Amino acid sequence: MINSSSDNVKKLNSINRRMFITGSLKFFIMIGIVSRLFFLQIKENKKYLTLSDKNRIREWKLAPVRGEFHDYFGNVIAGNFEAYQLHVIPEQVEDFRYVIYRLKDLLELSDKEFKKVLKKKNEIKPWETLIVSDNLSWQKFSKINNHLYDLNGVKPVISISRNYPFKENFTHLIGYVSQANKDDIETSQAIKKNFVPGLKVGKVGLEKTFEEKLIGTNDIERYEVNAYGRRISQLEFQKGEKGKTLRLTIDTEVQKLANELLKDKAGSICVMDIYTGAVIAMHSSPSFDPNLFVFGISQDDWQLIRNDPMKPLVNKTLQGNYSPGSTIKPIVALSALENGIVNTNFTVQCTGKTEMYGQTYHCWKKKGHGYMSLRNAMKQSCDTYFYEVARKLGVDKLSETAKKFGLGEKVFGDLFDIEKKGLIPNTEWKKNALGKGWLLGETIITGIGQGYIQTTPIQLCLMTAQIANGGYKIYPHIVVDDKVKDQPMDKFTPLYRNSKNIKIVQDAIFGSTNEVMGTSYRSRIDNPKYQFAGKTGTAQVKKITEEERELDLKTFEIPYEQRDHALYVAFGPYKNPRYALSVIVEHGGNGSTTAAPMATKLFKLIIDRHKIRESLRNKKYLEI
């Protein structure tokens, strides 16, 4: 009995211990559960509410609205339009094969277009956006929206894209935009911050230079979606800022005329205000339609542009290095006057050629010009006279004057990364670059703009502008800054030692255009309102052999690539100068017959539009 009672007590104690342990475990588990629930619902409330909202709420960034380019008169030369796009995120699509074939039918995609979409899909990550089309018609865009119930993961997007209404007229100046690539995103914080699939960014020209000002900021849309990711309602719309609109100094009418004059030719036309440095026109030919690049250029169009022998992809105004030919003669004359090497009475007899140390240097006129003074030598562009002046002057002094007037240096600084400096040679340059001493014969040919000397068309325009304004330094610009007003002439930096020397050169250039025997006499305008002064230039692209010299072939009888370049620089109106220009026609033959006649048409338009330009400029000043 005692043993039985003892066993019962032991069992009871064992049961009590187990119940206590079990109850304690339940208690601690309950405490743990309650604590966890408290932690999740109270402490971590915001975190899980956010995660819940991420499943319920979706955020879309829209492409920012790009700033526009306007010309001086407010005309839109690079604007925007609404483009209808179709995006798909592959990982959000339950049956990608079904959806993509459905889109093929709805959009009526060709087999080539469809394969291109599939190729793009294979090149991206599943969570990245696949752009099925970036420029849908309104009809197709509406059609997609009507079938969204059957297109899980498909997102129709209204985006902003670039438009260039004047097509090829501004291509080399403004540049163009195209879809941002990896390099664009890595090199620009503005692009990285505002990136969305299909974002268009500047690739060349001013579009690239001013990318951070033009790009703007994203619009942001927040939507509530259901379990399948389809939109239920818009919760919020956050408006982004449009990019800055930039106003240029360019006159579209003059720019268009430059394009027309260079049609079917390779070359450049530049026009500049000789006091303000404002660039009125800057055109490189041939050009191309920048709209082709906005949504991705086709292979056929790209091959046509890339393989064109006239090189439309090259901005000849900034990248073209040309021998200046006789357009350098005003600088040679000025340098000789400034350094006291010659005066207006200094004469040289031209017989058609000059013999020196066994080398023959020919004048363009076979039988020679006879006795030439500075003015007549400039007027008739006598090479023999300038051979002698250059010989007496020396290349180093000539180089110094040329650089003062803007040759051999970038005109726009860092504005265009493609701009070239050209080359104004001197004795030190040759020693450092080629490891050889300078030769007298090289000085002689430099005096007529041949040899090592290389200039860009915009440099020649600047050189002419600074001669025209009386020899004062100006700073060319393309973007209008209303805070900067014209400086009075006495505030300008003079580039001369004696102002009389500038006037002598100006008068000589006047004779070249407006007097009988002048090389551009046939292009003159007698009306003082439009009358201009200019200097022709013909730059050889290959050395002329004695046999070719005897044949005396006409330009059309010479193979195109062997023809001389035709150049012309001018300023006007002569009695009260305001504008300077440079014209170059690659392989155009002779400056007097090809380039100079273009200046006649240009000055008529430029001067007719001067009053309109001035009235607008004065109005802007009054508003400041």
Side-chain angles (χ1 to χ4, degrees):
M1 290 292 293
I2 294 172
N3 288 338
S4 176
S5 177
S6 177
D7 289 341
N8 289 336
V9 170
K10 286 180 179 179
K11 286 180 181 179
L12 182 62
N13 289 338
S14 176
I15 291 170
N16 287 338
R17 280 196 304 272
R18 289 174 184 173
M19 289 179 67
F20 176 76
I21 292 169
T22 303
S24 296
L25 287 173
K26 286 181 179 179
F27 175 77
F28 284 116
I29 290 170
M30 183 62 68
I31 291 296
I33 292 171
V34 170
S35 298
R36 183 61 179 165
L37 288 172
F38 177 82
F39 180 77
L40 291 175
Q41 294 188 30
I42 306 301
K43 294 288 186 180
E44 294 283 275
N45 175 269
K46 289 184 179 179
K47 175 183 175 180
Y48 288 98
L49 185 61
T50 301
L51 290 173
S52 174
D53 283 343
K54 281 188 175 180
N55 289 329
R56 184 178 63 88
I57 299 171
R58 295 285 171 83
E59 180 179 283
W60 279 278
K61 281 185 177 181
L62 303 180
V65 179
R66 196 170 182 83
E68 299 176 340
F69 281 106
H70 293 177
D71 76 352
Y72 190 77
F73 300 96
N75 300 304
V76 177
I77 53 179
N80 302 307
F81 73 99
E82 285 189 346
Y84 303 113
Q85 300 181 344
L86 189 61
H87 296 183
V88 175
I89 300 176
E91 73 170 4
Q92 294 180 5
V93 179
E94 294 174 4
D95 187 345
F96 183 82
R97 181 180 177 82
Y98 169 79
V99 168
I100 203 67
Y101 274 96
R102 189 85 175 91
L103 290 175
K104 180 179 186 291
D105 293 337
L106 291 170
L107 298 178
E108 300 173 6
L109 297 176
S110 66
D111 289 339
K112 185 177 180 181
E113 290 170 329
F114 185 64
K115 287 178 182 178
K116 189 176 178 181
V117 172
L118 293 178
K119 184 181 177 183
K120 281 197 290 185
K121 190 259 182 184
N122 293 329
E123 292 172 350
I124 65 172
K125 303 292 189 296
W127 58 86
E128 293 180 336
T129 299
L130 170 65
I131 301 175
V132 177
S133 178
D134 56 6
N135 191 24
L136 286 170
S137 66
W138 171 248
Q139 289 77 11
K140 289 183 178 179
F141 187 73
S142 301
K143 194 174 183 181
I144 291 295
N145 276 280
N146 290 333
H147 288 81
L148 278 181
Y149 65 89
D150 193 32
L151 299 169
N152 185 30
V154 173
K155 184 168 67 172
V157 175
I158 300 177
S159 184
I160 301 296
S161 281
R162 207 50 153 177
N163 177 49
Y164 301 99
F166 293 97
K167 297 184 178 180
E168 73 277 2
N169 284 280
F170 289 95
T171 304
H172 290 102
L173 175 59
I174 294 178
Y176 58 83
V177 299
S178 193
Q179 190 163 318
N181 57 33
K182 186 178 179 181
D183 289 340
D184 296 323
I185 297 168
E186 289 177 351
T187 56
S188 171
Q189 283 299 317
I191 295 174
K192 187 175 183 179
K193 181 181 177 182
N194 294 283
F195 180 77
V196 292
L199 177 68
K200 308 295 192 300
V201 299
K203 296 294 183 177
V204 294
L206 296 179
E207 289 276 26
K208 181 179 180 181
T209 301
F210 293 106
E211 179 62 40
E212 295 202 356
K213 290 185 177 181
L214 292 165
I215 192 170
T217 58
N218 305 98
D219 291 342
I220 297 175
E221 291 179 339
R222 291 185 178 88
Y223 284 93
E224 185 177 9
V225 297
N226 62 18
Y228 298 100
R230 294 194 178 103
R231 298 180 185 185
I232 298 173
S233 62
Q234 181 174 305
L235 300 176
E236 184 184 358
F237 178 80
Q238 183 179 317
K239 185 70 176 173
E241 288 187 11
K242 182 180 178 179
K244 183 178 176 62
T245 290
L246 298 176
R247 179 166 160 253
L248 306 185
T249 59
I250 303 294
D251 184 335
T252 297
E253 295 306 312
V254 180
Q255 186 81 5
K256 284 162 62 179
L257 177 58
N259 182 38
E260 290 170 17
L261 292 171
L262 288 173
K263 187 178 181 181
D264 300 325
K265 299 178 180 68
S268 165
I269 289 176
C270 305
V271 182
M272 187 183 297
D273 187 310
I274 68 172
Y275 294 117
T276 68
V279 176
I280 311 303
M282 196 173 88
H283 184 66
S284 174
S285 179
S287 187
F288 54 89
D289 185 353
N291 291 301
L292 295 172
F293 286 84
V294 175
F295 296 109
I297 191 167
S298 71
Q299 191 62 27
D300 290 343
D301 287 333
W302 172 243
Q303 291 302 326
L304 283 173
I305 293 172
R306 194 183 70 167
N307 296 323
D308 189 327
M310 289 188 177
K311 299 181 179 178
L313 291 171
V314 176
N315 185 336
K316 295 172 177 63
T317 302
L318 302 177
Q319 293 174 279
N321 274 336
Y322 303 97
S323 297
S326 294
T327 62
I328 199 67
K329 289 176 180 176
I331 289 294
V332 178
L334 179 61
S335 187
L337 290 167
E338 289 277 277
N339 286 285
I341 303 299
V342 302
N343 57 37
T344 54
N345 296 321
F346 177 76
T347 58
V348 173
Q349 184 183 12
C350 173
T351 61
K353 60 183 179 180
T354 298
E355 301 284 346
M356 196 174 295
Y357 301 108
Q359 182 70 40
T360 302
Y361 301 93
H362 294 271
C363 183
W364 68 267
K365 191 173 184 180
K366 266 189 178 184
K367 296 181 179 179
H369 291 93
Y371 285 94
M372 288 279 107
S373 64
L374 186 150
R375 194 176 190 281
N376 277 331
M378 185 77 72
K379 181 168 78 173
Q380 299 184 49
S381 200
C382 174
D383 292 332
T384 300
Y385 182 91
F386 285 94
Y387 288 148
E388 180 61 16
V389 171
R391 185 188 70 79
K392 292 170 72 66
L393 176 64
V395 72
D396 289 335
K397 288 187 175 69
L398 172 56
S399 174
E400 184 183 343
T401 305
K403 288 177 179 177
K404 273 186 182 179
F405 278 78
L407 304 182
E409 293 294 335
K410 290 184 177 182
V411 171
F412 296 112
D414 297 328
L415 190 64
F416 298 95
D417 57 7
I418 60 169
E419 185 179 1
K420 291 187 177 179
K421 293 175 65 174
L423 174 62
I424 303 300
N426 56 27
T427 53
E428 184 181 0
W429 166 82
K430 188 180 179 187
K431 186 178 179 181
N432 293 336
L434 304 178
K436 297 179 180 178
W438 188 266
L439 303 176
L440 179 60
E442 293 166 341
T443 298
I444 289 170
I445 61 173
T446 301
I448 63 164
Q450 297 289 160
Y452 295 118
I453 187 169
Q454 297 281 292
T455 58
T456 63
I458 192 65
Q459 288 174 358
L460 292 176
C461 189
L462 174 59
M463 173 196 80
T464 309
Q466 292 177 150
I467 291 173
N469 70 21
Y472 294 94
K473 180 70 177 173
I474 58 172
Y475 299 91
H477 61 279
I478 296 174
V479 180
V480 174
D481 184 352
D482 289 331
K483 295 178 182 178
V484 179
K485 299 184 181 182
D486 297 347
Q487 297 182 58
M489 288 303 296
D490 60 359
K491 298 290 186 182
F492 280 35
T493 303
L495 302 172
Y496 56 78
R497 294 174 186 170
N498 188 335
S499 61
K500 289 182 180 179
N501 294 328
I502 295 287
K503 291 177 181 177
I504 290 168
V505 172
Q506 288 176 340
D507 179 59
I509 297 173
F510 174 82
S512 181
T513 303
N514 296 284
E515 295 177 4
V516 177
M517 304 292 289
T519 54
S520 55
Y521 181 67
R522 285 180 294 179
S523 297
R524 73 193 183 283
I525 302 176
D526 292 326
N527 186 340
K529 178 182 176 182
Y530 304 105
Q531 192 175 49
F532 61 93
K535 182 70 194 77
T536 55
T538 303
Q540 294 177 5
V541 297
K542 65 179 286 291
K543 187 174 181 180
I544 301 174
T545 65
E546 287 300 324
E547 183 182 355
E548 289 170 333
R549 197 176 296 279
E550 288 300 320
L551 288 172
D552 194 22
L553 298 172
K554 301 293 183 185
T555 298
F556 67 87
E557 297 175 310
I558 303 170
Y560 174 79
E561 65 278 359
Q562 295 180 18
R563 297 174 190 172
D564 297 336
H565 295 326
L567 300 96
Y568 193 63
V569 295
F571 62 90
Y574 181 73
K575 287 188 176 179
N576 187 20
R578 190 56 192 264
Y579 299 100
L581 60 78
S582 66
V583 179
I584 180 167
V585 180
E586 288 186 358
H587 308 295
N590 191 291
S592 61
T593 57
T594 306
M598 294 183 183
T600 307
K601 295 178 180 179
L602 283 163
F603 272 115
K604 283 182 178 178
L605 179 62
I606 294 163
I607 294 167
D608 279 341
R609 293 185 63 78
H610 175 69
K611 281 187 179 180
I612 306 171
R613 188 178 189 89
E614 285 296 282
S615 63
L616 181 60
R617 186 167 65 93
N618 292 332
K619 181 181 177 183
K620 289 287 181 183
Y621 286 172
L622 290 172
E623 290 174 353
I624 293 173

